[in-house]
Amino acid sequence: MPTSPRVMTDRALEVDASGKTDVGLLRSENQDCIFVDQAQGFYVVLDGMGGHQGGATASRVARDVMVETIAQGRETWPPGKLLVEACKAAGSAVHLQARADRELHGMGTTVVALAMPRVNQALIAHVGDSRAYLLRKGRLRRLTADHTIVAELVSAGKLTPEQAIDHPHASVLSRNLGGLQTTEVDLLEVELEEADRLLLCSDGLNGYATRNAIEQVLSGAATPEEATTDLIELAKRGGGGDNISAVVVEIGRASSELPETIEETGAGAWWSRRPLFMEVCRSMGLGTSPLASSLTEADALDLLGGSFCEAMYLDLEGTTGIHIWTYADSLVKAWFERDGRYGPVKELFDVLRAAALSVAKDVSRSDEDLGVCLEIALLRALIVGEMVVGGQISECIKVANETFASRRVTTDLPDATFANVATVPFSPTESPMPVGPEVNKCLADGAGAAKEQLGGDEYLMLHAIIDAAHSSASEFCGEADMSAAAIDLYGTRLLTEQEINPLLDGLETARVAHLAAVDALQVSPVARATALCALALAHQSLFHAFALVAVDAGKPTTDRLREMNASTSLMRARLERNEQHLAHFEVDIDTVEDLQS
């Protein structure tokens, strides 16, 4: 249930706090537990574990012991030492109760606790994977490090952060309250500034909401109480697969009439002008957007424009950004999974911006101050939506990079001669990544720009290199058999050093020009990243093919050299034996051959 203690004043700075815990969408029992004591500046979030009843018992036993320890030791212990000892006492109590009751055996709990001995000082103790964050000037920073097996492997350099994301043991704790009689507790101190917000949460929040989403909701909510409500809702919209707990503490909230003005009158002013908003959207062709190409124009207009209008109203009414975030996230994610072009998304937000600002302008005709406040709120919401787009593009680039990085290059040469190898032994995959229309256009434009930059007929070899790489990238995503291209470019004869060096220089010159030309194109980040990865593979494959051609061309010479070395070795052995006979028998050299026979 939510708690929202009232404001405390200290040195002219106000502190406000709120906490809320929720069972989530899939669990039948809430094993999380929170505590908020505004008067004493003490806040706790605990996430219990240990099966049916065990987790709930562990978190509540730990909470009660911590509260009692803090109350008894406040006058005698230093604040940091007291916070750590409260966590240790809680862990010991959970451990002893688990040993005393067989049904509770193995129970434990995570904890993240905040004590504020002064309004500008935060002491944070934690065990497990419940977290503390600091929001300062609109940017969210994580303060605690998870006590999990995988997190410690990453810290030790034995796993990469990328490997940790999908690791099967990512949620296995290395520390908790109750697993052992004594527990190591991490303590950190943070100096606070005016307008800072602190967030304590269980993994039911950060496990089902992205960091960017948490940042936007936490910075956009007018009060800590609204922030905790919206954060719980955010985690539910992300799946809500675990219990969700959040405590938000705000330091010296700057006074602003904007949220109150928007909440009281801006939402109504916006909704009453819904027909105006929809008409501008219709006149600008929103109903024909490719994002809703499977729908009729009327249905597409309702989906893209009507849904935005409703989400905007809900965010204005609640002074939050969660509904616009959800609108953009679901819409853009589905589009990028289906197509991937950035252009239609940009066109969508351009139309939404123009229609929204037309509403703000209409409001200003009757109430200029309200119109200005509404315009600021609308632009803020649109920025939230565009941040979602940026996040989705980053995810697409990450997936593209991971896909190409997983196709490891082998430098092993085949046993047979190159001419008898069906394909180049380079990045073999069963299902190459498809290259869409936007990426193909990007590749074609880049190839043309690179050849134009390199010059005319005197650079035909460089043009041929670019054409070969372009063909491989556009048709096979960089994974074509480049043997024929290498033979066409360089032939099959043995090349001298004076002949090889210019060819190697040409490979590098063409590669640099080609990649630079694609990188300079004005295209979506997703298309550019995919094209660059495909071209990098193509040029690398071409270089490997050339290396194999050179090896093959030199094979006859190598074989003759091997035969000559064998003959030389035999002659050297015979000479050594002759010298030994001469030294032993002291005979004339003319008789050596007779002695050998």
mmCIF file of all heavy atoms in Angstrom, residues 279-305:
data_model
loop_
_atom_site.group_PDB
_atom_site.id
_atom_site.type_symbol
_atom_site.label_atom_id
_atom_site.label_comp_id
_atom_site.label_asym_id
_atom_site.label_seq_id
_atom_site.Cartn_x
_atom_site.Cartn_y
_atom_site.Cartn_z
ATOM 1 N N GLU A 279 -7.856 17.255 -37.062
ATOM 2 C CA GLU A 279 -8.003 17.842 -38.392
ATOM 3 C C GLU A 279 -6.638 18.206 -38.973
ATOM 4 O O GLU A 279 -6.374 17.988 -40.161
ATOM 5 C CB GLU A 279 -8.896 19.076 -38.323
ATOM 6 C CG GLU A 279 -9.011 19.856 -39.638
ATOM 7 C CD GLU A 279 -9.519 19.001 -40.801
ATOM 8 O OE1 GLU A 279 -10.267 18.023 -40.567
ATOM 9 O OE2 GLU A 279 -9.155 19.320 -41.962
ATOM 10 N N VAL A 280 -5.752 18.760 -38.137
ATOM 11 C CA VAL A 280 -4.402 19.083 -38.622
ATOM 12 C C VAL A 280 -3.672 17.805 -39.014
ATOM 13 O O VAL A 280 -2.999 17.744 -40.048
ATOM 14 C CB VAL A 280 -3.620 19.861 -37.550
ATOM 15 C CG1 VAL A 280 -2.178 20.078 -37.999
ATOM 16 C CG2 VAL A 280 -4.284 21.195 -37.259
ATOM 17 N N CYS A 281 -3.824 16.771 -38.198
ATOM 18 C CA CYS A 281 -3.196 15.483 -38.521
ATOM 19 C C CYS A 281 -3.714 14.931 -39.854
ATOM 20 O O CYS A 281 -2.944 14.437 -40.682
ATOM 21 C CB CYS A 281 -3.458 14.459 -37.406
ATOM 22 S SG CYS A 281 -2.553 14.776 -35.875
ATOM 23 N N ARG A 282 -5.029 15.033 -40.057
ATOM 24 C CA ARG A 282 -5.629 14.519 -41.294
ATOM 25 C C ARG A 282 -5.132 15.308 -42.497
ATOM 26 O O ARG A 282 -4.757 14.728 -43.529
ATOM 27 C CB ARG A 282 -7.147 14.607 -41.212
ATOM 28 C CG ARG A 282 -7.871 13.948 -42.395
ATOM 29 C CD ARG A 282 -9.297 14.441 -42.519
ATOM 30 N NE ARG A 282 -9.328 15.875 -42.775
ATOM 31 C CZ ARG A 282 -9.059 16.425 -43.954
ATOM 32 N NH1 ARG A 282 -8.720 15.669 -44.983
ATOM 33 N NH2 ARG A 282 -9.107 17.731 -44.098
ATOM 34 N N SER A 283 -5.089 16.649 -42.369
ATOM 35 C CA SER A 283 -4.683 17.481 -43.498
ATOM 36 C C SER A 283 -3.219 17.285 -43.873
ATOM 37 O O SER A 283 -2.825 17.497 -45.017
ATOM 38 C CB SER A 283 -4.927 18.960 -43.172
ATOM 39 O OG SER A 283 -4.099 19.383 -42.106
ATOM 40 N N MET A 284 -2.400 16.837 -42.909
ATOM 41 C CA MET A 284 -0.976 16.611 -43.166
ATOM 42 C C MET A 284 -0.688 15.160 -43.577
ATOM 43 O O MET A 284 0.465 14.757 -43.714
ATOM 44 C CB MET A 284 -0.146 16.978 -41.932
ATOM 45 C CG MET A 284 -0.198 18.468 -41.578
ATOM 46 S SD MET A 284 0.893 18.920 -40.209
ATOM 47 C CE MET A 284 2.516 18.687 -40.968
ATOM 48 N N GLY A 285 -1.761 14.378 -43.792
ATOM 49 C CA GLY A 285 -1.597 13.036 -44.345
ATOM 50 C C GLY A 285 -1.215 11.959 -43.357
ATOM 51 O O GLY A 285 -0.664 10.917 -43.749
ATOM 52 N N LEU A 286 -1.527 12.162 -42.073
ATOM 53 C CA LEU A 286 -1.153 11.155 -41.077
ATOM 54 C C LEU A 286 -1.853 9.820 -41.336
ATOM 55 O O LEU A 286 -1.299 8.754 -41.046
ATOM 56 C CB LEU A 286 -1.489 11.662 -39.665
ATOM 57 C CG LEU A 286 -0.988 10.794 -38.513
ATOM 58 C CD1 LEU A 286 0.527 10.700 -38.522
ATOM 59 C CD2 LEU A 286 -1.468 11.331 -37.171
ATOM 60 N N GLY A 287 -3.057 9.875 -41.905
ATOM 61 C CA GLY A 287 -3.813 8.653 -42.165
ATOM 62 C C GLY A 287 -3.191 7.757 -43.216
ATOM 63 O O GLY A 287 -3.559 6.582 -43.331
ATOM 64 N N THR A 288 -2.232 8.284 -43.978
ATOM 65 C CA THR A 288 -1.568 7.482 -45.009
ATOM 66 C C THR A 288 -0.149 7.095 -44.601
ATOM 67 O O THR A 288 0.646 6.669 -45.435
ATOM 68 C CB THR A 288 -1.517 8.247 -46.340
ATOM 69 O OG1 THR A 288 -0.786 9.478 -46.140
ATOM 70 C CG2 THR A 288 -2.919 8.569 -46.829
ATOM 71 N N SER A 289 0.173 7.249 -43.334
ATOM 72 C CA SER A 289 1.519 6.915 -42.853
ATOM 73 C C SER A 289 1.818 5.431 -43.055
ATOM 74 O O SER A 289 0.971 4.575 -42.797
ATOM 75 C CB SER A 289 1.650 7.257 -41.370
ATOM 76 O OG SER A 289 2.850 6.733 -40.826
ATOM 77 N N PRO A 290 3.033 5.095 -43.495
ATOM 78 C CA PRO A 290 3.412 3.679 -43.638
ATOM 79 C C PRO A 290 3.340 2.904 -42.330
ATOM 80 O O PRO A 290 3.224 1.685 -42.345
ATOM 81 C CB PRO A 290 4.854 3.758 -44.149
ATOM 82 C CG PRO A 290 4.962 5.095 -44.802
ATOM 83 C CD PRO A 290 4.081 5.999 -43.995
ATOM 84 N N LEU A 291 3.388 3.586 -41.192
ATOM 85 C CA LEU A 291 3.330 2.900 -39.902
ATOM 86 C C LEU A 291 1.994 2.207 -39.683
ATOM 87 O O LEU A 291 1.882 1.314 -38.841
ATOM 88 C CB LEU A 291 3.587 3.874 -38.741
ATOM 89 C CG LEU A 291 5.062 4.122 -38.383
ATOM 90 C CD1 LEU A 291 5.735 4.991 -39.431
ATOM 91 C CD2 LEU A 291 5.204 4.737 -37.019
ATOM 92 N N ALA A 292 0.962 2.624 -40.410
ATOM 93 C CA ALA A 292 -0.348 1.991 -40.293
ATOM 94 C C ALA A 292 -0.889 1.653 -41.675
ATOM 95 O O ALA A 292 -2.071 1.807 -41.955
ATOM 96 C CB ALA A 292 -1.315 2.911 -39.543
ATOM 97 N N SER A 293 -0.020 1.168 -42.547
ATOM 98 C CA SER A 293 -0.392 0.932 -43.939
ATOM 99 C C SER A 293 -1.438 -0.172 -44.107
ATOM 100 O O SER A 293 -2.121 -0.230 -45.119
ATOM 101 C CB SER A 293 0.855 0.576 -44.760
ATOM 102 O OG SER A 293 1.493 -0.568 -44.204
ATOM 103 N N SER A 294 -1.565 -1.041 -43.118
ATOM 104 C CA SER A 294 -2.530 -2.135 -43.229
ATOM 105 C C SER A 294 -3.950 -1.699 -42.863
ATOM 106 O O SER A 294 -4.901 -2.476 -43.007
ATOM 107 C CB SER A 294 -2.108 -3.300 -42.328
ATOM 108 O OG SER A 294 -2.067 -2.886 -40.968
ATOM 109 N N LEU A 295 -4.109 -0.463 -42.373
ATOM 110 C CA LEU A 295 -5.419 0.035 -41.929
ATOM 111 C C LEU A 295 -6.002 1.004 -42.957
ATOM 112 O O LEU A 295 -5.292 1.527 -43.820
ATOM 113 C CB LEU A 295 -5.282 0.746 -40.579
ATOM 114 C CG LEU A 295 -4.692 -0.065 -39.418
ATOM 115 C CD1 LEU A 295 -4.570 0.811 -38.179
ATOM 116 C CD2 LEU A 295 -5.538 -1.297 -39.110
ATOM 117 N N THR A 296 -7.301 1.234 -42.831
ATOM 118 C CA THR A 296 -7.922 2.281 -43.642
ATOM 119 C C THR A 296 -7.406 3.626 -43.164
ATOM 120 O O THR A 296 -6.857 3.754 -42.061
ATOM 121 C CB THR A 296 -9.449 2.242 -43.515
ATOM 122 O OG1 THR A 296 -9.805 2.557 -42.151
ATOM 123 C CG2 THR A 296 -9.994 0.858 -43.874
ATOM 124 N N GLU A 297 -7.594 4.657 -43.970
ATOM 125 C CA GLU A 297 -7.098 5.981 -43.594
ATOM 126 C C GLU A 297 -7.723 6.460 -42.289
ATOM 127 O O GLU A 297 -7.036 7.035 -41.436
ATOM 128 C CB GLU A 297 -7.376 6.979 -44.714
ATOM 129 C CG GLU A 297 -6.812 8.368 -44.430
ATOM 130 C CD GLU A 297 -6.941 9.307 -45.603
ATOM 131 O OE1 GLU A 297 -7.237 8.825 -46.727
ATOM 132 O OE2 GLU A 297 -6.754 10.525 -45.417
ATOM 133 N N ALA A 298 -9.038 6.211 -42.102
ATOM 134 C CA ALA A 298 -9.705 6.643 -40.874
ATOM 135 C C ALA A 298 -9.164 5.905 -39.661
ATOM 136 O O ALA A 298 -8.905 6.505 -38.612
ATOM 137 C CB ALA A 298 -11.214 6.422 -41.006
ATOM 138 N N ASP A 299 -8.967 4.585 -39.801
ATOM 139 C CA ASP A 299 -8.449 3.808 -38.673
ATOM 140 C C ASP A 299 -7.006 4.169 -38.363
ATOM 141 O O ASP A 299 -6.595 4.213 -37.197
ATOM 142 C CB ASP A 299 -8.558 2.310 -38.974
ATOM 143 C CG ASP A 299 -9.992 1.811 -38.948
ATOM 144 O OD1 ASP A 299 -10.848 2.511 -38.369
ATOM 145 O OD2 ASP A 299 -10.259 0.732 -39.511
ATOM 146 N N ALA A 300 -6.215 4.416 -39.405
ATOM 147 C CA ALA A 300 -4.816 4.808 -39.198
ATOM 148 C C ALA A 300 -4.737 6.150 -38.476
ATOM 149 O O ALA A 300 -3.913 6.345 -37.572
ATOM 150 C CB ALA A 300 -4.096 4.884 -40.541
ATOM 151 N N LEU A 301 -5.612 7.085 -38.873
ATOM 152 C CA LEU A 301 -5.642 8.393 -38.231
ATOM 153 C C LEU A 301 -6.013 8.261 -36.760
ATOM 154 O O LEU A 301 -5.440 8.926 -35.888
ATOM 155 C CB LEU A 301 -6.634 9.300 -38.958
ATOM 156 C CG LEU A 301 -6.690 10.769 -38.509
ATOM 157 C CD1 LEU A 301 -5.347 11.434 -38.738
ATOM 158 C CD2 LEU A 301 -7.791 11.505 -39.249
ATOM 159 N N ASP A 302 -6.965 7.379 -36.459
ATOM 160 C CA ASP A 302 -7.385 7.182 -35.071
ATOM 161 C C ASP A 302 -6.274 6.528 -34.253
ATOM 162 O O ASP A 302 -6.041 6.896 -33.101
ATOM 163 C CB ASP A 302 -8.643 6.320 -35.036
ATOM 164 C CG ASP A 302 -9.203 6.190 -33.629
ATOM 165 O OD1 ASP A 302 -9.529 7.229 -33.019
ATOM 166 O OD2 ASP A 302 -9.297 5.057 -33.132
ATOM 167 N N LEU A 303 -5.581 5.544 -34.880
ATOM 168 C CA LEU A 303 -4.512 4.855 -34.161
ATOM 169 C C LEU A 303 -3.350 5.790 -33.855
ATOM 170 O O LEU A 303 -2.874 5.870 -32.713
ATOM 171 C CB LEU A 303 -4.011 3.663 -34.984
ATOM 172 C CG LEU A 303 -2.758 2.954 -34.444
ATOM 173 C CD1 LEU A 303 -3.048 2.265 -33.129
ATOM 174 C CD2 LEU A 303 -2.205 1.979 -35.472
ATOM 175 N N LEU A 304 -2.893 6.505 -34.869
ATOM 176 C CA LEU A 304 -1.687 7.321 -34.705
ATOM 177 C C LEU A 304 -1.975 8.667 -34.041
ATOM 178 O O LEU A 304 -1.245 9.089 -33.144
ATOM 179 C CB LEU A 304 -1.030 7.552 -36.075
ATOM 180 C CG LEU A 304 -0.609 6.282 -36.830
ATOM 181 C CD1 LEU A 304 -0.033 6.652 -38.189
ATOM 182 C CD2 LEU A 304 0.392 5.481 -36.026
ATOM 183 N N GLY A 305 -3.029 9.334 -34.489
ATOM 184 C CA GLY A 305 -3.345 10.643 -33.929
ATOM 185 C C GLY A 305 -4.211 10.563 -32.696
ATOM 186 O O GLY A 305 -3.947 11.229 -31.685
#
